[in-house]
Structures are given as C-alpha cells and as structure tokens.
C-alpha cells in the first residue's frame, strides 16, 4: 500500500544561517548545513530552512524526519571540487563504471523531504572542467567520480516537491531500494556533461511521480534495477513533460530485479534523440504487467524499442551473481501519437522495434491505437537487410541498425503479439514492408491503416511465423503482394476482410508448405 508523506511543522525547525551557513556562493557550507540537519534530527525532526542565497556545499547527508525547505531564491550550489564529495553506497553503472558520489544523499533514512521554490545546482560543466585537469583516466572511467545531484538509498517515506534541479555532474536524481516515494512538480534542467539522467528509479516500490518537467542530456525518466534483491513495482507516473538527448521513458539497461505493476500515462515527449519509449530487460529481470498510455511524441528519433536480451551484467560486485535470461511479458502500450524525426539513428527511419533473442520470446505484448508519422525513403535493398541478433550487447537502437527492413513495425522472437488500430503516415515513398515478423507465434493484426506506397515487394512479411491472424487491414499501397510468407516453419496463417491494391493477396516462398493458409 502506498503511504503519502505528510509535511509536518515542528517547533524545532531551523535555518541554516543560524549554524553559520552563508549564501554568498563562495563559502563552503558543507559542515554548517550538516550541523543544522543533525540538530534538527536530534531534536525530533522538522524543516531545515534555506533562505534566499547561494549556499556552496559538498556532500550533505539527510537524516530521519528532516525536510529541506528551499525558499524562493535559495540555491544549494554544488562544489566544483570532487574531493568535497562522499560515496556512501558505491556501485557500477550499466557500462561498468564505478559511481555513487553525490551532493545530497540519504541512506537508510525515513520520512525525509526536499521542498520549496528554490533549487539545487550541481555546476556540472564547471566541476568537469576542473576535474579533468587532475584525473588522467579515460573519460569512460573518469566520469563516474563526478557526483550525482541527489541520491536516496534504502529510505522509506520520501517527498520531493516543487524544487528545480540544475546541471548535475552525473545522474541528476537516483532513488535506490526505497519505498513510499512522492515526486511532484519537480523541474529538471540537466545538460552539459555526459550521463545527465533526469529521474532514475532503481529497485523502488510504491512510487508516485506526477507533473514534472525534465530536460536532460541523458535518459529523462529511467527505471533501473542494479541489484537483484528489490523490484521496481507499484509505480504510477502521470503528466510528464520530457526532453532528452537519449531516451524519454526507459526501463533498463541495468535490469536484474523485476519491473512490474507500473503505469505511465499522459506524457508529452519532444526533441528526443534516442528513443521515446524503451523497454529493455537484458540482465535477467522479469519485465511484466506494464501499461503505458496517452503519449504524444514530437521530433523523436525512433519512437519505440522493446528488447529482451542476454547481456547478463552484474553491477554490485560481491553482492550479486550473474543471472539467466529474464522475461518480458504482459505489456500494453496504447494511445500513442508520434511524429518521428526525419533524421535518426536508423537510416531511413523506422517506428517500432521489438526483439527477443533465440529461445527467449517477448510474450503477450499489445500495441493499440498508435499513430506514427515517418519520413520514408526506404529502398528495395533496405527491405532485405539482416538485423544482428546482438544477444549479449548493450541494448540500444543503434545496436540493431543502421537500417531496419520494415518502416513501421519490425518484430522478432515474439509470441502473442497483438497490434490493433495501428496507422502510419509517410512523407515520401518507402518500399520496405510496413510490418515484418520473424520467428513469431500467434500474431494478431487488426484494424490497421497503411499508407499509399509504390513498388514495394510486400506490405506485410512473415518469416517462420507459427500462427497469424490478419484482419481489417486497409492499405492504398500499390505493390506486388499484400502478405509475403517465408520460412519452412511458417504455418496457420489466416487473412480476413483486408483491403489492398496489391496484385496478389498472399504469396508463398518456395520453402513454405502450400497448406500454410487457413480458410
């Protein structure tokens, strides 16, 4: 059950200035701020108040029953010296980099909060510029020494409301193995250095996030499980505005414990460079019972990527062991309108990529009421490109590129996939199929609208598909074949009430059993 944290005023609320903190942007206030927090905690809890001013600080540790109140004009300003930061919970990220330092951190605390009209500014670019003068390691290793802006570790009862988070030197906010979290009306602007994730929810439960505005250099809203010991579950997200140089809504890549019972709705995604919705489980996690709905995307490179893989990384050495391949099942994505960028990682652009790995199917995935505008431009040669399996690789759109043989939906290693009321619009002609399914079972396609194209080999291609129902699909495309069936394992294909201008309704490759089509 989700428990909301109620803000309570206490007689022992304190101002940081009473403990010697100076909002002059130059005095290092780490000790003074920590003394204020410790005193508030010692006397039963309350608010630690920051009046208007810029309070320079290194690591600050939040304690039980303490809420930081940042008044209008108040800014906690991160020090630009990495030596002013502590790492109270070390771990490795998805690329194997040691990370965990932070400006504001809470570990094993309860009933904590950050609220008000003020801000926290990590000064990420300035910190990086100073850091690289003395750290000669490769950037892929060096960046992990830079601090997150906010880290919440194994806490219960967390409220972050109203504040603005600026320019972290690494991830902006990371919530790990915590419960009963409320994040509301938070604005994040975090760009300028690599790995500027917006909100990372890492193995947390009973989480409510709403009315946030995130503009991030890395993933905007990201769910992770860097440990196998606690799932991301019972999470509701509503009314988000998301812009990202990477993914807007993402699960993974770090994916050891389950992602389950998660609902995300009413989000506006814009100017996002590496995927609008990305559901990725590659380290053994079970991703299931997830619903994403009412999403609008504008200028997004590759709207949807869904991946079940077998990278099988371990992120907390000595605490976890390598797992077997996980599952991805019972996911619904509905009511999506997307305008894909003409220039994307995939050339020409494609709308939806779905792939498991051999022997491990994505199961019971439903996509319904989805409209995608695409640039087009696919050629005959593009339509026959082989997509790498990349079984153990980092799961990214570019991992499967640079070209996908379908412009609309390309799906491989799937079972129980249902596509309903899917439509595409193209700026220019694209002769690739609108749909391709490879190594698939029990596929249903219904009430789909496919735009006019010319000279394509087929509109839908089925390769080693065991069971497909295609009905009420309408297309103005002028091509050779409506449905092309290939692969000796193809069987039980049924077409009904479809409308097309193609020369042939169905064509069977030479390796297909003639009895594959059901009446």
């Amino acid at each position: 059950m989700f428990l909301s944290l109620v803000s309570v005023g206490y007689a022992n609320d304190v101002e940081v200035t009473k403990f010697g903190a100076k909002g002059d942007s130059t005095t290092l206030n780490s000790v003074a701020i920590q003394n204020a927090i410790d005193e508030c905690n010692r006397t039963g809890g309350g608010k630690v108040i920051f009046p208007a001013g810029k309070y320079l600080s290194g690591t600050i540790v939040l304690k039980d029953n303490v809420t930081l109140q940042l008044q209008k004009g108040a800014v906690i300003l991160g020090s630009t010296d990495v030596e002013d930061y502590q790492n109270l919970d070390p771990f490795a990220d998805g690329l194997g980099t040691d990370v965990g330092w932070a400006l504001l951190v809470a570990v094993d605390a309860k009933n904590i909060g950050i609220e008000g009209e003020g801000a926290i500014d990590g000064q990420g670019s300035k910190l990086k510029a100073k850091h690289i003068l003395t750290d000669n390691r490769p950037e892929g290793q060096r960046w992990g020494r830079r601090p997150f802006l906010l880290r919440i570790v194994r806490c219960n009862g967390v409220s972050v409301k109203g504040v603005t988070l600026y320019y972290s030197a690494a991830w902006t906010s990371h919530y790990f193995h915590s419960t009963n979290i409320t994040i509301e009306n938070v604005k994040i602007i975090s760009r300028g250095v690599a790995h500027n994730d917006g909100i990372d929810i890492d193995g947390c439960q009973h989480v409510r996030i709403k009315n946030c505005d995130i503009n991030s250099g890395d993933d905007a809203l990201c769910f992770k499980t860097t440990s196998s010991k606690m799932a991301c579950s019972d999470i509701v997200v509503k009314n988000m505005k998301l812009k990202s140089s990477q993914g807007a809504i993402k699960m993974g890549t770090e994916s050891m414990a389950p992602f389950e019972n998660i609902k995300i709705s009413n989000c506006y995604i814009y100017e996002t460079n590496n995927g609008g919705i990305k559901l990725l489980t590659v380290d053994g996690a079970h991703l299931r019972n997830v619903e994403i709905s009412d999403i609008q995307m504008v200028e997004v490179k590759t709207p949807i990527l869904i991946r079940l893989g077998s990278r099988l990384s371990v992120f907390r050495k000595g605490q976890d062991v390598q797992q077997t391949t996980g599952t991805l099942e019972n996911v619904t994505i509905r009511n999506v309108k997307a305008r894909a960028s003409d220039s994307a990682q995939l050339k020409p652009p494609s709308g939806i990529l779905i792939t498991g790995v051999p022997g491990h199917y994505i199961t019971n995935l439903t996509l319904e009421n989805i409209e995608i505008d695409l640039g087009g431009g696919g050629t005959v040669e593009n339509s026959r490109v082989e997509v790498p399996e990349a079984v153990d690789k980092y799961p990214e759109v570019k991992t499967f590129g640079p070209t996908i043989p379908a412009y609309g939906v390309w799906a491989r290693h799937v079972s129980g996939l249902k596509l309903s009321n899917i439509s595409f619009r193209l700026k220019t002609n694209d002769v690739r199929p609108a749909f391709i399914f490879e190594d698939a079972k029990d596929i249903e396609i219904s009430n789909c609208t496919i735009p006019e194209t010319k000279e394509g080999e087929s509109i839908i291609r089925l390769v080693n598909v065991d069971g497909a129902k295609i009905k009420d699909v309408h297309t103005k495309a002028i091509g050779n074949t409506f449905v092309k069936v290939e692969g000796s394992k193809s069987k039980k294909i049924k077409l009904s009430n479809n409308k097309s201008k193609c020369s042939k309704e169905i064509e069977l490759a030479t390796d297909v059993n003639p009895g594959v089509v059901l009446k």
Side-chain angles (χ1 to χ4, degrees):
M1 180 181 295
F2 180 79
L3 300 176
S4 178
L5 178 67
V6 178
S7 180
V8 178
Y10 294 87
N12 54 348
D13 291 351
V14 299
E15 285 194 6
V16 293
T17 53
K18 301 294 177 62
F19 290 79
K22 297 180 180 180
D24 58 10
S25 77
T26 57
T27 301
L28 188 66
N29 293 293
S30 312
V31 173
I33 295 171
Q34 192 63 58
N35 286 341
I37 292 171
D38 292 349
E39 178 64 15
C40 186
N41 164 257
R42 187 187 66 80
T43 55
K47 295 180 180 180
V48 173
I49 301 167
F50 290 75
K54 294 184 177 180
Y55 300 88
L56 187 70
S57 183
T59 296
I60 306 164
V61 183
L62 262 176
K63 302 291 182 67
D64 290 358
N65 303 314
V66 173
T67 292
L68 302 188
Q69 185 180 64
L70 306 180
Q71 295 184 343
K72 187 174 182 179
V75 180
I76 298 176
L77 202 60
S79 167
T80 58
D81 187 345
V82 295
E83 298 304 324
D84 289 331
Y85 296 93
Q86 303 172 44
N87 189 346
L88 303 185
D89 179 63
F91 70 103
D93 83 323
L95 297 172
T97 304
D98 292 330
V99 295
W101 287 264
L103 172 57
L104 182 58
V105 62
V107 179
D108 298 316
K110 62 180 183 295
N111 300 328
I112 57 174
I114 305 168
E115 63 180 35
E117 299 180 66
I120 306 173
D121 185 345
Q123 300 195 100
S125 294
K126 290 182 180 179
L127 184 145
K128 176 182 176 180
K130 185 175 179 179
H131 178 224
I132 64 178
L133 295 176
T134 57
D135 191 335
N136 297 319
R137 292 177 298 167
E139 179 63 15
Q141 301 170 19
R142 180 171 55 199
W143 81 266
R145 182 60 181 82
R146 298 173 199 153
F148 298 2
L149 203 66
L150 171 63
R151 284 206 70 202
I152 304 296
V153 179
R154 297 186 300 274
C155 296
N156 180 23
V158 180
S159 177
V160 181
K161 296 182 179 180
V163 295
T164 300
L165 307 180
Y166 287 119
Y167 306 115
S168 179
W171 298 356
T172 305
S173 58
H174 179 226
Y175 302 80
F176 174 71
H177 281 197
S178 296
T179 57
N180 297 311
I181 300 170
T182 299
I183 305 170
E184 292 182 8
N185 300 308
V186 171
K187 185 173 184 178
I188 295 175
I189 302 176
S190 195
R191 291 179 173 270
V193 299
H195 309 285
N196 277 149
D197 288 21
I199 296 175
D200 288 309
I201 304 297
D202 184 353
C204 295
Q205 300 179 358
H206 317 310
V207 180
R208 301 294 182 265
I209 306 173
K210 67 179 182 180
N211 302 327
C212 296
D213 183 347
I214 303 175
N215 180 344
S216 62
D218 209 315
D219 301 319
L221 174 63
C222 187
F223 301 88
K224 306 172 179 286
T225 50
T226 59
S227 163
S228 67
K229 296 177 174 61
M230 189 165 171
C232 273
S233 68
D234 183 21
I235 297 173
V236 178
V237 180
K238 297 180 179 179
N239 306 328
M240 306 289 284
K241 184 178 180 182
L242 306 170
K243 175 182 178 179
S244 171
S245 294
Q246 292 296 324
I249 298 170
K250 180 178 176 182
M251 295 181 193
T253 63
E254 297 94 333
S255 47
M256 296 196 72
F259 303 90
E260 56 192 3
N261 304 322
I262 299 173
K263 292 186 177 182
I264 302 172
S265 63
N266 296 306
C267 297
Y268 176 72
I269 299 169
Y270 68 108
E271 296 175 20
T272 290
N273 291 344
N274 203 5
I277 298 170
K278 300 165 77 172
L279 306 182
L280 318 168
T281 173
V282 295
D283 303 311
H286 302 290
L287 193 160
R288 56 201 173 197
N289 304 330
V290 172
E291 181 179 311
I292 301 175
S293 64
D294 302 300
I295 307 295
Q296 183 178 358
M297 304 185 198
V298 178
E299 289 301 312
V300 171
K301 296 181 179 180
T302 312
I304 298 174
L305 169 64
I306 301 175
R307 169 63 162 171
L308 167 64
S310 301
R311 180 181 64 177
L312 307 181
S313 292
V314 176
F315 309 100
R316 294 175 179 265
K317 309 300 182 185
Q319 301 177 36
D320 260 318
V321 297
Q322 188 179 60
Q323 302 188 135
T324 58
T325 303
T327 60
L328 200 162
E329 59 187 352
N330 300 332
V331 171
T332 298
I333 301 175
R334 62 163 61 94
N335 303 337
V336 176
K337 293 184 178 181
R339 189 174 77 224
S341 300
D342 292 343
S343 175
Q345 320 93 310
L346 303 174
K347 301 182 184 300
S350 293
I352 301 174
L353 282 63
I354 306 165
T355 180
V357 293
H360 298 275
Y361 284 29
I362 294 171
T363 60
N364 298 331
L365 170 64
T366 298
L367 305 179
E368 60 185 22
N369 303 331
I370 295 177
E371 302 176 12
I372 301 179
D373 288 21
L374 293 155
T379 66
V380 173
E381 292 76 17
N382 296 153
S383 70
R384 286 293 173 175
V385 168
E386 291 189 12
V387 180
E389 290 284 359
V391 172
D392 59 352
K393 303 302 181 185
Y394 189 96
E396 197 52 90
V397 172
K398 66 181 181 181
T399 303
F400 306 101
T403 303
I404 299 298
Y407 70 78
V409 177
W410 173 79
R412 179 175 64 187
H413 309 312
V414 295
S415 177
L417 174 62
K418 296 181 180 180
L419 306 178
S420 176
N421 195 25
I422 311 294
S423 63
F424 304 104
R425 287 183 290 267
L426 294 169
K427 287 185 178 180
T428 59
N429 192 47
D430 198 317
V431 302
R432 294 175 294 170
F435 299 98
I436 294 179
F437 306 94
E438 303 177 20
D439 183 26
K441 299 178 181 179
D442 300 323
I443 304 301
E444 294 184 17
I445 312 171
S446 62
N447 299 300
C448 294
T449 302
I450 300 170
E452 180 177 352
T453 56
K454 298 178 180 179
E455 301 177 355
E457 179 187 21
S458 61
I459 308 305
I460 299 172
R461 187 159 78 229
L462 309 178
V463 183
N464 290 317
V465 173
D466 180 359
K469 297 178 181 179
I470 303 171
K471 63 179 182 179
D472 297 312
V473 175
H474 296 177
T475 178
K476 296 180 180 179
I478 302 171
N480 182 45
T481 303
F482 178 56
V483 176
K484 179 74 178 288
V485 184
E486 302 174 359
S488 60
K489 296 180 181 179
S490 289
K491 57 186 175 181
K492 296 185 292 186
I493 311 300
K494 185 173 183 179
L495 282 63
S496 61
N497 200 35
N498 303 297
K499 296 180 181 180
S500 82
K501 296 183 178 180
C502 295
S503 303
K504 291 178 282 187
E505 181 182 40
I506 191 165
E507 179 181 352
L508 307 184
T510 56
D511 60 347
V512 176
N513 187 318
V516 67
V517 181
L518 302 177
K519 301 298 184 181

